[in-house]
Amino acid sequence: MRWLVGWSSAAAGVAGALGGGASAGATGYDGETVQPVGSHLLWGDPDPLWAVGDWRPDEVRVVSADPQTRIAVLGLCGASDEQLRVALFAARGGALRHLTAWPGSYTAVVQVGRRITVCGDLAGARPVFHTPWAGGTAYATAALPLADLVEANLDFPYLAALLAAPDVPAALDDSTPYDGVKRVPPGHALILRAGAREIAGYEPVASLAVAAPPADPERAVDGVRDALVEAVRTRLAAPRHVPGNGIDPGPVPGMGPAERRAARGMPAPGIGADLSGGPASGTLALLAAGLPGMPGTVLGHGTGAGERLLAVTFNDLAVGGREAELERAGALAANPRLHHVVVAGGAEVLPYAELDGPLTDEPAACLVSVARHRARLAAGSADHFTGYGAREVLDAHPARLADLLLDRRRRHLVRPVAALAKADGSVGSVMVPARVYGAARRLSRTSYRAGLDGLAEQLRARNPVLDGAEDGAVGASLAALSWGRPGPAARWVTGEALAEVSVRLQAAARRSALGPGQRPGDFRARAALARRAAQVRVLEQAAEIRSQRLHTPFLDNQVVRACRELPEALRVRPGARAAILRTVLEGAGVPEVPGGWGTPVQGVAARTARVGLRSAADALMDVFDRPLLAQAGLVEARVVRKAVRAAAAGEALPLDGLADLVSLELWLGRLLARRGTCWTGTPARARAVPGGIAPRRGALASGG
């Protein structure tokens, strides 16, 4: 993991233990100096800032105008030092948005006197956290270091909301798994003035009252192309890094150089990309291979004429169904600029096959499938492109149908509704269009407060809708046509925990009497993007390959902004994402793509999850013998064990809900089993959740 951490004290010199600009720290319990483990000091007291972890030299830049006016940029940023200096002078006057408008993925921290500004990103892939500490405020780009610093306990209501309503921002609010550690919302910045904190938004949002002016589809797609090309070009222009020492230690009988490198857990030098056969990964691979910059060449290695980009395809041997995508990946890899590697995975990389792994900053459902991702990434390059986030930034959330009705654009509902009926096998039925239109019309006429109140009542009553009685594309779309809905794991959460979540929702409804200031479709789409970005962040930590960097251009600020300019009428068309990316490639000089480009693969993920669940059923029974979730009062162990057995036997249960439960249980176990802390100079007790999980309810303390 890599993060930055710092604090702002209430008065100059209060937090300083060593003083001076060359060193910094804080006074601990016994007068010792508190500093982050493995840190590099960027600037010192009274408001110090550290970079922690294995940052590359070019990923950390500090530009100063004077000793009290400076900017630090951590990550991959396309701005030159001169651009950073100009931006610093503009930020001195309070401007923020320009700090987030450079290509790349980065975090910017600006210090102007005693004012500290930390900018989060639009998607939520590079979040900012904060907590009160030592009479001021400590901040970081990871929550666990702050939890260690203040010895935070678990936030049980937040964990309940994470299971019961993970897609509803009002349920999660600005909380984290750690009590007292708060999250800065996407599109906002944390501003600290001598310890006092303020959260300020830097991005305008679409109004619910006034329709946005109609956007030109061609110009909007051109904007997406320019943003994607610039995002890829920025990464190609960055210095190349050789993993480890770059020297093969010698031959091993029966293993080639690539196999030896993968066995050591080291990526190949140069630049590579996922090539799943889908349009997102294919677009990035072709852009990275086609743009100038010699994608595969590392400084001091190769001929200087440029080597081929390493394209990695994962072939699941345990569960079939992706043969068409593999064929498309092979057709794309026929490009002479690509070197294609197919990674075969069997039962050993099924979901739930590996229930042990590293502790991540937060829990996420991807923790049950880390082995699959690590197998693929181990065959990748030191800089590896992935297509994560493309679906969320380009596709239309079903709730956008209500936005079209708000703008009186009913005719644009015809094609998506017809596609839904076809996908659901209901061609010719008049009921599907009527039901979808009716749900969209209800949502367009439902206030935000009424939507939250309805969801709160649904959770309290344990409504049968929690069971997801209606499956298929139409059922999923109807469920999504709301301001918020229960999560797939809600059916297994205890009544007490659901009641707590309903109270959070009602409190949020009272605070937001006027709503979020956005249309329901735009609001739901932003929430879906934030959740996906959080999952990608956890996946990157859990499946981390030493010396490798995963690049997700679709989550870059400028790409997200460009995608938000796409008109809704264009988004809701069937196959819109594939069509947009095809146009992007044509504009970048790639005129042809394989047949079937963008054709979705139906049901493979669910089959893979079920096979993995069946194979790991006995191990999961052990995990939920006396689960920590039951000690916390969130589930009853016997209920979860029964659900695991039923799902393994083939019963139609929400498998993604089981993944949420298992991943949260695994994460809690890893958190409580850890030793040590993120800080030096602290007693052994100075770490998150120092007392473990205290049983909250006697009836559930025994684990069921």
Side-chain angles (χ1 to χ4, degrees):
M1 288 175 59
R2 294 170 295 279
W3 63 85
L4 64 86
V5 62
W7 56 68
S8 177
S9 57
V14 169
L18 299 179
S23 59
T27 303
Y29 297 102
D30 302 316
E32 71 279 15
T33 299
V34 178
Q35 292 181 338
V37 174
S39 63
H40 169 66
L41 183 66
L42 301 183
W43 59 63
D45 293 325
D47 303 313
L49 176 67
W50 290 273
V52 185
D54 59 335
W55 293 95
R56 293 173 175 175
D58 58 287
E59 291 176 331
V60 180
R61 287 192 289 165
V62 178
V63 174
S64 302
D66 58 62
Q68 287 298 311
T69 306
R70 47 200 170 187
I71 180 173
V73 176
L74 289 89
L76 189 64
C77 179
S80 64
D81 287 351
E82 183 59 31
Q83 287 176 305
L84 294 180
R85 192 170 287 107
V86 171
L88 180 57
F89 290 120
R92 212 159 44 175
L96 295 179
R97 191 175 187 272
H98 69 285
L99 298 173
T100 68
W102 298 304
S105 179
Y106 57 90
T107 301
V109 184
V110 175
Q111 181 187 44
V112 179
R114 295 300 314 283
R115 186 182 73 197
I116 303 290
T117 302
V118 191
C119 294
D121 65 335
L122 289 176
R126 301 183 71 91
V128 178
F129 305 91
H130 62 92
T131 188
W133 184 72
T137 300
Y139 63 90
T141 54
L144 183 58
L146 298 183
D148 279 350
L149 186 64
V150 300
E151 299 184 30
N153 285 309
L154 290 169
D155 187 338
F156 294 107
Y158 172 83
L159 296 179
L162 203 59
L163 293 175
D167 295 323
V168 184
L172 302 178
D173 199 19
D174 61 351
S175 303
T176 68
Y178 313 100
D179 190 22
V181 179
K182 302 299 182 182
R183 182 193 318 269
V184 176
H188 289 69
L190 174 66
I191 302 175
L192 305 175
R193 293 181 176 89
R197 61 187 174 275
E198 174 190 353
I199 308 297
Y202 58 78
E203 196 74 4
V205 296
S207 171
L208 181 62
V210 181
D216 180 12
E218 292 186 6
R219 180 171 297 182
V221 175
D222 287 345
V224 173
R225 180 200 63 213
D226 294 343
L228 267 180
V229 168
E230 191 62 29
V232 173
R233 182 179 285 121
T234 297
R235 289 162 170 85
L236 295 181
R240 307 295 165 78
H241 296 267
V242 180
N245 56 16
I247 302 175
D248 193 326
V252 176
M255 298 178 67
E259 294 171 307
R260 294 197 296 271
R261 186 187 66 248
R264 297 196 308 271
M266 300 293 287
I271 291 183
D274 281 347
L275 190 64
S276 67
S281 63
T283 297
L284 294 179
L286 292 175
L287 286 178
L291 291 176
M294 297 180 295
T297 300
V298 182
L299 184 62
H301 294 68
T303 62
E307 299 177 3
R308 294 181 295 171
L309 179 135
L310 180 63
V312 180
T313 299
F314 181 78
N315 182 17
D316 190 347
L317 300 180
V319 181
R322 294 190 179 272
E323 291 76 11
E325 277 201 346
L326 291 173
E327 290 180 7
R328 285 194 291 274
L332 289 168
N335 187 317
R337 294 177 178 267
L338 299 178
H339 171 59
H340 195 206
V341 173
V342 178
V343 178
E348 72 280 359
V349 294
L350 281 170
Y352 306 99
E354 181 180 311
L355 299 179
D356 190 18
L359 173 65
T360 56
D361 195 41
E362 298 181 272
C366 62
L367 294 182
V368 303
S369 57
V370 168
R372 299 172 70 80
H373 299 290
R374 190 180 294 118
R376 182 186 82 251
L377 296 175
S381 296
D383 290 278
H384 197 76
F385 285 92
T386 66
Y388 296 129
R391 183 185 304 276
E392 286 72 23
V393 298
L394 291 173
D395 284 10
H397 192 282
R400 287 192 183 273
L401 298 178
D403 294 359
L404 291 174
L405 288 180
L406 285 171
D407 292 340
R408 301 182 183 276
R409 299 177 183 174
R410 296 179 179 86
R411 62 185 179 89
H412 295 295
L413 272 67
V414 175
R415 293 176 64 178
V417 170
L420 272 178
K422 182 178 180 181
D424 209 49
S426 305
V427 180
S429 172
V430 296
M431 294 303 297
V432 170
R435 295 173 63 200
V436 173
Y437 179 83
R441 190 167 179 265
R442 281 193 301 273
L443 177 57
S444 68
R445 297 185 175 190
T446 302
S447 68
Y448 177 68
R449 179 168 184 172
L452 291 188
D453 285 340
L455 177 59
E457 178 61 30
Q458 190 177 340
L459 291 175
R460 278 198 309 274
R462 299 188 66 86
N463 192 293
V465 174
L466 292 176
D467 294 338
E470 186 169 4
D471 298 322
V474 173
S477 297
L478 290 173
L481 281 165
S482 63
W483 282 104
R485 61 172 177 169
R491 55 161 37 182
W492 297 299
V493 178
T494 61
E496 296 92 335
L498 291 178
E500 287 186 354
V501 177
S502 71
V503 170
R504 288 171 68 99
L505 289 170
Q506 288 181 316
R510 288 193 296 270
R511 289 194 305 268
S512 306
L514 300 178
Q518 296 169 258
R519 298 167 181 273
D522 185 52
F523 176 77
R524 291 296 304 274
R526 290 174 188 249
L529 174 61
R531 190 181 185 210
R532 180 58 169 164
Q535 291 171 342
V536 171
R537 175 173 174 263
V538 172
L539 171 63
E540 184 178 3
Q541 297 169 5
E544 184 177 23
I545 302 296
R546 183 183 175 190
S547 301
Q548 185 179 68
R549 294 291 186 270
L550 295 187
H551 299 287
T552 54
F554 286 103
L555 298 179
D556 286 6
N557 283 344
Q558 290 300 80
V559 176
V560 171
R561 286 192 177 104
C563 292
R564 285 180 178 173
E565 295 298 320
L566 293 170
E568 290 171 345
L570 175 62
R571 288 180 183 273
V572 300
R573 294 176 185 172
R577 173 163 40 106
I580 291 170
L581 294 179
R582 183 187 294 110
T583 305
V584 166
L585 288 176
E586 290 174 353
V590 183
E592 296 183 2
V593 294
W597 170 266
T599 303
V601 178
Q602 302 289 349
V604 176
R607 289 202 305 273
T608 303
R610 192 173 297 278
V611 172
L613 191 66
R614 187 180 301 118
S615 301
D618 292 339
L620 292 176
M621 288 294 105
D622 294 337
V623 169
F624 285 98
D625 181 32
R626 294 181 62 85
L628 298 170
L629 288 174
Q631 293 183 33
L634 301 180
V635 302
E636 294 186 53
R638 59 179 179 81
V639 173
V640 179
R641 290 195 296 267
K642 179 181 177 182
V644 170
R645 286 193 295 265
E651 187 174 330
L653 292 175
L655 299 180
D656 46 353
L658 284 174
D660 289 340
L661 283 174
V662 174
S663 61
L664 183 52
E665 178 67 26
L666 294 176
W667 181 82
L668 286 173
R670 295 169 191 176
L671 177 66
L672 297 183
R674 71 190 285 253
R675 294 292 180 266
T677 176
C678 294
W679 299 85
T680 62
T682 60
R685 66 180 183 276
R687 59 189 177 93
V689 200
I693 295 181
R696 303 181 66 209
R697 299 176 178 89
L700 301 178
S702 64

